[in-house]
Amino acid sequence: MVNGAGMSLVGAVLFGLGVVGFLTRRNLIVMFLSTEVMFQGVLVNLIAMGMRWGDLQGQAFGVFVLVIAAVEAGLGLAIVVMLFRRRGTLDAERWNTLRG
Amino acid sequence: MTLKTLAICIPLLPAAGAVLVGLIGLRGLRSRSHWLVIAGVGAALVAATMLFDRVRSHADDAQPTAQTITIYEWFNTGDTAGSWFDVEFLVDPLTCVMLLTVLSVSLLVVIYSVGYMRDHHGQPERGYERFFAFLGLFVFSMCTLVLAGNFLLLYLGWELVGLCSYLLIGFYYDKPAAAQAAKKAFLVNRIGDFGFGLGILLIYLRCGDLSYDHVFSAAGMQQLAGYETIVALLLFCGAVGKSAQLPLHVWLPDAMEGPTPVSALIHAATMVTAGVYMVARCSVIFAASPVAMWVVACIGAATALFAATIAVTQYDMKRILAYSTISQLGYMFLGLGVGAFDSAIFHLFTHAFFKACLFLGAGSVMHAMAGVIDIRRFGGLAKGMKVTAATFWIGGLALAGFPLLAGFWSKDEIVAAALHSQAPWLGWIALLTALMTAFYTFRMIFIAFHGPERLPNTVDRVHENGRWVTIPLIVLAVGAVGAGYLGFPPHQGGLHGFLEPVFRAAQPKLAVSASDAPHDGHLLLYVSAGISILGIWAAWYIYRRRPTVAGAAASGAASLHRMVYNKYFVDEAYDVGIVQPLRKLGRFCHGVDRFFINAILWVITAVPRAVGFGLRGMQQGSMQGYAMGMVVGVIAIVIWMLIRMAGGDAGELAAISQG
Amino acid sequence: MEAFWVYVTYVASAAGALAIYLAMPPSARSRSRAALGLGAVALGAMLVVLHQLAGESGEHITFGLLSFLAIGAAARVITHSRPVYSALYFVMVVLSTSGMAVLAGAEFLAAALVIVYAGAILVTYVFVIMLAQQPGSTDPLASSMKYDAMAREPGAAVLAGFVLVATIAGVIVGREWPDGVASEVAAVGNTLAIGDVLLHRFAVSVELAGVLLMVAMIGAIAIARKRIPRADEGDESPPPGEIGRRAKPF
């Protein structure tokens, strides 16, 4: 595997699936899981690009994406727990206070 | 000390006292606040005396008596280079006389206030330090007005004293009547000041300069030629407002709501005479216009008689004195109008002393009567308040023109000048007014100080006020006796000689010059002395011998009495004629504002409101809805970039992708 | 590549999008069967395209298998009506992508993915899913809320996803990909090389990432520790939005 085209394609598909999941699922936890899928797509794409250019920066950025994903998961899940404790449900549609 | 230093000191010393009291009075000084203002005014009086000395010594020298001192360049009018308005002071005999009058009366009133602005336990009233700060500010403003060397600075001082008057009338601002009176004084003065401002603007348009030096010079008068009458009448508007002449006199009686020392200082002795001073200062302009002189004389005479009739029927001591002040100011304008400028200033000078003395005496009575000032409610106070009664008598005699006292000499000169003018009947009006003056003054004295002792319920016994109050009274009483001798013998006294250079330029323009009026011996002196004594006797007869006569006379001419007692219904006429229509106009404008302007605004704001109403539906409040928006945006950006790639920037992107 | 393969990519994307749409909950047997068929078509077409893209290199069979696994598992993550299963499928996605990373020569990243994602993050997810179960339900794997059983506007979302993927994939497929540049990794080993890059070129960023982790940890603790009164379903005061909605502009 010497060019990144295939991996890039897989990354794009994973990202697209994550987007669709985030938009359609109403469970806050599954929505977060969908963002993790999007992260996977980005990560795969970074690896592919690093391969394409023969540079390790892609993988280094992959490590940072990993860090951000961990941070996001920690904070996001903490917020989810708080929201769940307040309303007793994980339905994202229940949180529409900003409705005009 | 140079003349400049002296001139700067005079307004700034009281101002410094006022500012200091204003800054630290409430926290540090409180009941000792008066010392700073007394010191400031006293020092200014010393400086004014030194200035007077300089000017008098210069009168003998070859140097000109009038000197303009430029303090600093104020601002540029921008028309031409070098056309600066300066803060400049004019020092001449008229200035000196005014300064001495203002500062000496001010000093005495400030001292008097120390005793007056306290309750019976000697504790200062609320706002004690504020009162003294305002007094200091007033002295500063009045000195600026008097010292001003151009019309702009004069206008500044003019408005400043108006402000001080407003602040001090409304000193008891929690009393509705005082607040109303303050507003009334300010608004009525604005009417006059509007004309005054127009006059100054017209002078500037014609002469291109507002400095007295230029305007009053031959060249300046040349530029004003043809406009003297309109300029003089506009300036006189300001004087009518400030000096409470017909028809703008209505504010002065109401101004008595202020503390009595204020009435004495501002609304009797000094500020209200600013109009007289201003007309005298502009004597050159006025003398050049016979019409304006005629208007000044007529309004003066009419006001003198009008106010005197009202004073006869009033019962409030301070109001009687207020109408008396209006009447005496009318005298001064009569004197100015017939060309006897020096006599008018002489009367201003003597009037300041005896009227201040009377007002302070009334204040002393009011203080002893626990705020009651209606002469129907007390009487026979002479036994309990010997000093007040004695000084009030002296002041009253001077006001009534009793022979050999101050008012006698100065009033007599004006009467003489009026009798020798082109319209001698003005002189007869003046004599009639003199009779009524003597009558109402002693009506008040006989009711209040003589007869059986009557006291308001709230007062147990009469007691004389402390020395802070009585000493200024005594000094002013001495002034009421002696001030007249500065102008003795009539028309040739020291004061006249001193003032003569000021009015020298105006004299040749007069149709009938006061100075060359024929002197018919001492006949007039005897006549006016007789009139004065007749008035006093009438008051004694009606109010002491036959107390029923007054009531019978009042009920006999009930409608006349009611009209005069209600001040000829002038206030009511203004209310119906001016205030109510204006209020209706205001309501109409308010309605237009509410229903027309607001409707326009409503229509204009309807657009964003409608748009907001339409777009509100987009805000679903759902997190995923917003995420959807983001995704659509991302897609739009991606597609846009692809289109760019396919278009002109293909090479650029190819370069990137090729590395 | 030829335009033909771009159109194949578009068709495959459309088939995949349709499959996802059909697979979205609520699921019926007929719909899921159709979804399965369409998904197989889409994945097969994609594998063909991938084969074309890979050119002459030898490892494309393994890569194709991993892609198949990753995309299939990701589809299940977003379509499964039970959160626990979603999480488990996500493990599969992570494992597949780490396999791809190994293929790409990124062994360190592959290991880190497995350890951090599958080992740490996923455990947290499962833990939260357990925590947020409806009281009374004993079997966490079986529980399924009604909001899990119902997708939200799947049509619009799938359409947006399709446009996004088709656009990007079309560009990837339509472009000539030159051969990759051989990196210097082979000489020293991937882990050493990436450590060198991180600690030399991105030293500050690494420190910042550390700080960020700590801040996030403190934040998460602060958020989760707060005692929140649980509002009952019944006497809930209307949120401010309710008032605003009733307000009339005229």
Side-chain angles (χ1 to χ4, degrees):
Chain A
M1 204 90 216
V2 281
N3 67 20
M7 276 187 81
S8 218
L9 191 62
V10 172
V13 173
L14 281 179
F15 186 84
L17 285 171
V19 166
V20 172
F22 187 84
L23 292 179
T24 50
R25 299 307 300 269
R26 291 162 65 182
N27 188 321
L28 283 170
I29 295 173
V30 181
M31 282 167 69
F32 266 101
L33 268 177
S34 302
T35 62
E36 301 292 352
V37 173
M38 283 154 79
F39 269 123
Q40 290 297 321
V42 171
L43 223 146
V44 167
N45 210 20
L46 281 171
I47 294 169
M49 287 302 149
M51 216 164 79
R52 159 75 180 78
W53 297 107
D55 195 337
L56 283 173
Q57 280 188 58
Q59 293 178 34
F61 269 89
V63 174
F64 289 127
V65 168
L66 216 65
V67 171
I68 300 299
V71 166
E72 181 256 5
L75 276 177
L77 287 175
I79 292 171
V80 166
V81 168
M82 189 188 73
L83 295 178
F84 177 73
R85 277 199 286 183
R86 183 165 287 186
R87 287 271 167 92
T89 175
L90 287 170
D91 190 354
E93 293 287 284
R94 291 293 309 280
W95 296 95
N96 59 355
T97 315
L98 282 176
R99 185 164 180 178
Chain B
M1 253 196 287
T2 62
L3 206 61
K4 184 173 173 177
T5 320
L6 273 177
I8 294 174
C9 279
I10 291 171
L12 284 193
L13 285 171
V19 168
L20 279 177
V21 169
L23 286 179
I24 60 175
L26 201 57
R27 256 161 279 156
L29 299 169
R30 298 198 68 88
S31 59
R32 296 185 300 279
S33 299
H34 50 266
W35 285 115
L36 277 176
V37 177
I38 290 177
V41 177
L45 180 60
V46 172
T49 315
M50 290 164 74
L51 194 72
F52 169 73
D53 202 48
R54 295 282 174 90
V55 172
R56 205 184 50 183
S57 60
H58 282 322
D60 306 330
D61 300 347
Q63 289 187 29
T65 43
Q67 287 192 27
T68 303
I69 306 161
T70 304
I71 309 298
Y72 67 92
E73 290 180 334
W74 194 357
F75 60 88
N76 195 327
T77 50
D79 289 351
T80 50
S83 63
W84 283 86
F85 281 124
D86 298 333
V87 173
E88 54 188 342
F89 288 162
L90 177 68
V91 176
D92 73 348
L94 180 58
T95 308
C96 289
V97 170
M98 286 301 291
L99 280 178
L100 285 176
T101 315
V102 168
L103 286 168
S104 51
V105 176
S106 300
L107 183 62
L108 291 170
V109 169
V110 171
I111 291 170
Y112 173 91
S113 307
V114 176
Y116 184 81
M117 298 302 285
R118 287 164 192 270
D119 59 20
H120 285 290
H121 308 293
Q123 289 304 309
E125 277 186 34
R126 194 162 69 87
Y128 187 75
E129 59 288 317
R130 183 162 56 95
F131 182 81
F132 282 95
F134 287 168
L135 276 189
L137 183 66
F138 168 75
V139 177
F140 158 73
S141 316
M142 194 68 197
C143 289
T144 308
L145 191 160
V146 169
L147 274 166
N150 59 35
F151 279 101
L152 201 65
L153 199 58
L154 172 75
Y155 193 71
L156 184 84
W158 191 268
E159 294 299 332
L160 269 175
V161 291
L163 170 72
C164 295
S165 165
Y166 168 79
L167 291 172
L168 284 164
I169 295 171
F171 181 73
Y172 301 117
Y173 52 82
D174 44 4
K175 205 166 99 184
Q180 288 288 342
K183 268 193 292 183
K184 186 171 176 181
F186 203 79
L187 288 176
V188 173
N189 266 302
R190 292 278 357 130
I191 298 171
D193 293 353
F194 182 64
F196 188 48
L198 284 183
I200 292 176
L201 283 178
L202 191 53
I203 291 175
Y204 181 69
L205 281 179
R206 297 304 304 170
C207 300
D209 194 359
L210 288 176
S211 172
Y212 293 157
D213 274 351
H214 177 75
V215 177
F216 298 151
S217 68
M221 290 310 292
Q222 195 68 36
Q223 285 165 322
L224 269 183
Y227 287 86
E228 296 99 340
T229 305
I230 182 78
V231 165
L233 287 179
L234 284 172
L235 293 178
F236 185 58
C237 271
V240 165
K242 190 66 74 192
S243 296
Q245 297 296 291
L246 277 176
L248 299 180
H249 67 284
V250 288
W251 66 271
L252 188 57
D254 287 9
M256 297 303 132
E257 292 292 344
T260 310
V262 171
S263 307
L265 176 60
I266 299 184
H267 305 116
T270 56
M271 187 196 82
V272 288
T273 61
V276 179
Y277 163 77
M278 191 266 288
V279 173
R281 172 62 76 204
C282 303
S283 55
V284 182
I285 298 176
F286 278 83
S289 163
V291 178
M293 291 295 274
W294 176 243
V295 170
V296 172
C298 285
I299 288 196
T303 309
L305 183 63
F306 172 84
T309 54
I310 297 175
V312 170
T313 57
Q314 298 298 309
Y315 292 106
D316 181 324
M317 255 173 128
K318 284 178 73 178
R319 272 179 190 264
I320 296 172
L321 289 171
Y323 280 106
S324 159
T325 302
I326 296 174
S327 173
Q328 297 301 309
L329 288 166
Y331 261 112
M332 294 175 209
F333 280 108
L334 174 60
L336 293 170
V338 297
F341 299 112
D342 47 358
S343 303
I345 295 297
F346 180 34
H347 192 52
L348 186 161
F349 177 69
T350 57
H351 173 258
F353 287 100
F354 60 73
K355 189 51 67 68
C357 177
L358 284 170
F359 258 113
L360 295 186
S364 174
V365 169
M366 189 173 169
H367 205 240
M369 295 295 111
V372 175
I373 196 68
D374 191 328
I375 49 176
R376 283 170 297 192
R377 291 179 60 189
F378 52 78
L381 303 180
K383 285 185 216 68
M385 308 179 72
K386 288 207 168 55
V387 178
T388 303
T391 52
F392 208 90
W393 256 90
I394 294 171
L397 285 174
L399 174 61
F402 194 78
L404 306 183
L405 270 71
F408 176 70
W409 303 112
S410 55
K411 197 186 286 186
D412 189 61
E413 278 186 25
I414 292 175
V415 175
L419 281 172
H420 290 118
S421 71
Q422 287 166 308
W425 53 271
L426 290 172
W428 295 109
I429 290 179
L431 280 175
L432 179 60
T433 308
L435 176 66
M436 288 164 76
T437 307
F439 177 76
Y440 68 66
T441 310
F442 278 86
R443 165 179 173 268
M444 173 169 68
I445 290 176
F446 285 130
I447 294 178
F449 288 101
H450 298 282
E453 192 174 90
R454 291 174 295 131
L455 294 175
N457 302 334
T458 46
V459 179
D460 299 332
R461 66 181 189 83
V462 186
H463 63 89
E464 184 56 271
N465 286 296
R467 251 171 292 174
W468 285 108
V469 170
T470 52
I471 288 176
L473 280 175
I474 293 166
V475 175
L476 282 169
V478 170
V481 176
Y485 290 96
L486 289 176
F488 183 83
H491 298 294
Q492 282 114 37
L495 192 72
H496 300 76
F498 183 58
L499 286 172
E500 191 267 343
V502 179
F503 304 117
R504 197 179 289 156
Q507 290 299 340
K509 297 183 178 164
L510 296 172
V512 179
S513 180
S515 53
D516 54 40
H519 289 285
D520 40 7
H522 298 297
L523 177 63
L524 184 64
L525 289 181
Y526 296 128
V527 170
S528 56
I531 282 176
S532 160
I533 292 165
L534 177 67
I536 296 170
W537 174 83
W540 174 79
Y541 182 80
I542 293 176
Y543 290 98
R544 297 290 302 121
R545 284 294 295 276
R546 299 264 187 280
T548 51
V549 176
S555 55
S559 58
L560 180 69
H561 178 261
R562 195 165 61 242
M563 187 173 82
V564 178
Y565 180 68
N566 288 310
K567 306 140 204 164
Y568 296 99
F569 298 107
V570 172
D571 278 321
E572 287 77 5
Y574 284 170
D575 187 56
V576 171
I578 297 171
V579 177
Q580 293 300 340
L582 279 179
R583 185 167 292 163
K584 284 205 184 86
L585 182 69
R587 276 211 200 99
F588 173 72
C589 291
H590 178 65
V592 168
D593 196 47
R594 241 178 96 187
F595 294 108
F596 186 65
I597 308 285
N598 279 10
I600 292 175
L601 287 181
W602 191 88
V603 169
I604 293 170
T605 55
V607 174
R609 255 178 299 158
V611 171
F613 184 67
L615 292 181
R616 186 180 289 171
M618 286 176 64
Q619 298 291 324
Q620 287 297 322
S622 146
M623 187 188 337
Q624 284 154 317
Y626 300 129
M628 186 74 184
M630 272 174 69
V631 169
V632 170
V634 167
I635 292 171
I637 290 170
V638 167
I639 291 175
W640 180 67
M641 289 206 45
L642 289 179
I643 289 169
R644 272 191 58 181
M645 259 164 80
D649 302 323
E652 176 196 336
L653 267 138
I656 294 169
S657 60
Q658 295 307 319
Chain C
M1 260 165 46
E2 301 113 75
F4 170 74
W5 293 110
V6 176
Y7 292 120
V8 171
T9 313
Y10 288 159
V11 171
S13 303
L18 204 56
I20 295 290
Y21 176 74
L22 290 172
M24 277 290 168
S27 48
R29 185 166 292 274
S30 58
R31 286 181 66 176
S32 39
R33 207 176 287 155
L36 212 61
L38 272 171
V41 169
L43 275 172
M46 211 195 94
L47 287 174
V48 174
V49 170
L50 280 178
H51 179 73
Q52 288 297 318
L53 281 172
E56 288 84 41
S57 57
E59 290 164 329
H60 59 273
I61 294 169
T62 327
F63 180 74
L65 191 66
L66 287 174
S67 332
F68 179 83
L69 273 178
I71 291 169
R76 283 311 278 155
V77 168
I78 64 168
T79 54
H80 211 285
S81 62
R82 290 177 195 159
V84 177
Y85 285 94
S86 290
L88 293 178
Y89 275 115
F90 183 65
V91 177
M92 184 77 90
V93 175
V94 171
L95 290 177
S96 314
T97 47
S98 67
M100 285 184 210
V102 171
L103 282 187
E107 290 91 1
F108 173 75
L109 202 54
L113 265 175
V114 172
I115 292 166
V116 175
Y117 260 110
I121 297 179
L122 253 299
V123 170
T124 318
Y125 269 96
V126 173
F127 190 68
V128 170
I129 290 166
M130 303 287 187
L131 203 72
Q133 288 309 318
Q134 200 82 308
S137 162
T138 47
D139 181 9
L141 299 186
S143 77
S144 164
M145 309 289 167
K146 65 174 180 294
Y147 49 82
D148 281 327
M150 207 65 159
R152 177 191 176 280
E153 296 179 10
V158 166
L159 184 66
F162 160 70
V163 173
L164 191 63
V165 170
T167 316
I168 297 171
V171 174
I172 292 170
V173 174
R175 185 161 291 274
E176 283 301 331
W177 286 75
D179 284 349
V181 182
S183 65
E184 66 280 16
V185 177
V188 290
N190 175 259
T191 309
L192 191 59
I194 206 160
D196 184 62
V197 169
L198 280 177
L199 293 180
H200 278 111
R201 291 177 68 179
F202 300 112
V204 178
S205 308
V206 169
E207 292 301 322
L208 283 177
V211 172
L212 185 66
L213 276 170
M214 193 173 77
V215 169
M217 183 177 74
I218 295 169
I221 293 169
I223 291 170
R225 258 191 85 238
K226 210 181 286 173
R227 190 167 293 279
I228 293 139
R230 180 179 165 155
D232 272 322
E233 303 284 323
D235 56 8
E236 202 176 349
S237 63
E242 295 292 326
I243 299 158
R245 204 171 311 152
R246 252 178 261 120
K248 291 281 177 291
F250 300 109

